[in-house]
Amino acid sequence: MTQGLRDLFGHRLLIVSGKGGTGKTTLVAALGMLAAGLGRECVVVEVSGEQRLPGLLAPEPAKLPVQDGRQPLRLAPGLSTLSIDPRTALIEYLELQLRLPSLARSLVDRAGIRQLLEAAPGWRELITLGKLWHLERAGRRGAGSGPELLIVDAPSTGHGLALLATPGVVIDTVRRGPLRLHTDRVQALLTDPVRTRVVPVTLAEELAVRETALLCRELGELDLAYGPILANAVEAAPDAPADPTPAQLASASLDLVSPASLRTCRQHAVQRAAEQRSYLSELESLELAPVIEIPYLEHGVETCTEVAELARQVEKAFARRESQP
């Protein structure tokens, strides 16, 4: 395991965010697998409600029990998953405060309370962060009472920033009381660079790079530590020249591929690799955080076997970065 990954997994909370479609979820799964391999007791967390991570990390997802949204579901040694449902997390919070589970559930199920919650902006974000704080605190108690590391598949850039900004909004609005006390604790976790780090994910494309730069600047304004930046699905230029000779085409052509089509495909691959390189160079020039280039996997990532291959590529990418002068 590289030193960069060891340092990254030395935190207690990793929040992975970035432009939608950049492969955040699969990278969260790969990071979780790597962390567990390093011996960290890790929980990969979803907040979208889609529950994709069990299918990516379990050899036989169909045999998994339904998640209750309260306790992490064990998938492998050192690796669990949890999908946070704000309503369930709110009931848990009220149970802890009231010490009457039946009363907590009945309160949340009342029509008036539901209408009030629907009208209250930010409660879902705040209760989700509160659940993360509770899990992180349980892990700090030691003796196997909770995870050592939480890796969160956060919403895409805009919604992710709204999630992370919620405690600050509450702190600016609420001066005292239990809500302020609990929000202060959540904010202390998020802004502690020793415990928490945001990991931006991008593609080597114009819009994704620009959105990543915006994300990093906004994170800085929120006083949140971030980095490294994971540049996903970076394509390598083909070994063959962009404009191969007729002899090279003849030796490489297949019966079903014409030389002209092969030439066009190779030219496109070379041009695309060069274009991606220019966007990555632009991102590096901003000096926001180290950029880790993860190669494109042609077969995709849909199963735990493919996640394991992605994890190996992530580890190699960190090693390549560390070997650079």
Side-chain angles (χ1 to χ4, degrees):
M1 191 71 68
T2 68
Q3 188 58 48
L5 280 172
R6 291 180 184 277
D7 292 344
L8 188 64
F9 296 150
H11 296 83
R12 301 197 57 83
L13 175 61
L14 299 179
I15 301 172
V16 182
S17 185
K19 181 176 171 58
T22 56
K24 293 187 294 87
T25 303
T26 53
L27 283 173
V28 165
L31 290 171
M33 193 174 284
L34 285 169
L38 190 61
R40 298 280 281 171
E41 185 66 35
C42 176
V43 177
V44 289
V45 181
E46 292 180 276
V47 298
S48 65
E50 294 182 3
Q51 299 192 22
R52 288 187 58 203
L53 286 169
L56 289 169
L57 288 166
E60 297 180 284
K63 295 183 178 181
L64 292 175
V66 177
Q67 294 191 64
D68 64 1
R70 289 174 173 255
Q71 297 299 322
L73 175 65
R74 175 74 73 173
L75 301 176
L79 183 60
S80 303
T81 184
L82 177 68
S83 179
I84 296 179
D85 171 58
R87 178 182 174 277
T88 301
L90 177 59
I91 292 173
E92 273 193 282
Y93 172 75
L94 292 175
E95 288 174 355
L96 291 172
Q97 298 302 309
L98 302 175
R99 303 185 185 279
L100 294 171
S102 59
L103 177 59
R105 184 175 293 276
S106 66
L107 280 174
V108 174
D109 287 341
R110 289 182 180 178
I113 296 296
R114 290 202 304 269
Q115 292 174 0
L116 179 62
L117 290 174
E118 289 299 324
W123 77 268
R124 292 178 179 83
E125 291 81 359
L126 189 60
I127 202 69
T128 296
L129 292 172
K131 176 68 174 179
L132 292 174
W133 174 85
H134 180 75
L135 289 167
E136 189 273 341
R137 180 171 177 266
R140 277 189 286 126
R141 292 172 181 165
S145 59
E148 296 176 286
L149 174 64
L150 300 166
I151 305 180
V152 182
D153 183 12
S156 56
T157 306
H159 292 292
L161 285 170
L163 171 72
L164 298 172
T166 299
V169 174
V170 174
I171 288 171
D172 289 341
T173 306
V174 181
R175 298 303 178 189
R176 59 178 61 86
L179 178 60
R180 173 59 186 266
L181 175 63
H182 297 153
T183 303
D184 283 341
R185 292 170 176 170
V186 169
Q187 183 73 340
L189 170 63
L190 292 180
T191 57
D192 183 348
V194 175
R195 290 188 288 167
T196 301
R197 184 164 290 266
V198 181
V199 181
V201 176
T202 188
L203 297 176
E205 298 175 359
E206 181 178 10
L207 291 180
V209 165
R210 290 183 178 179
E211 193 164 308
T212 300
L214 173 63
L215 172 61
C216 292
R217 295 189 186 101
E218 293 287 342
L219 291 171
E221 292 182 5
L222 292 173
D223 199 25
L224 303 180
Y226 62 86
I229 298 170
L230 304 183
N232 197 21
V234 178
E235 299 177 30
D239 294 333
D243 190 16
T245 65
Q248 289 171 324
L249 287 171
S251 65
S253 293
L254 302 175
D255 293 340
L256 299 180
V257 181
S258 68
S261 296
L262 185 59
R263 183 192 301 272
T264 299
C265 289
R266 293 193 178 191
Q267 288 174 342
H268 172 75
V270 170
Q271 290 169 359
R272 178 163 175 78
E275 185 178 71
Q276 286 194 335
R277 177 52 47 199
S278 70
Y279 290 128
L280 290 173
S281 297
E282 177 184 340
L283 187 58
E284 289 274 15
S285 69
L286 297 175
E287 298 183 346
L288 298 167
V291 178
I292 309 297
E293 299 180 21
I294 301 166
Y296 171 72
L297 300 182
E298 294 182 359
H299 50 69
V301 182
E302 298 291 340
T303 67
C304 66
T305 301
E306 292 164 345
V307 170
E309 173 59 25
L310 177 60
R312 286 190 288 271
Q313 295 300 329
V314 170
E315 187 172 8
K316 290 179 180 179
F318 272 84
R320 283 194 298 270
R321 176 73 190 195
E322 292 179 16
S323 66
Q324 294 175 359

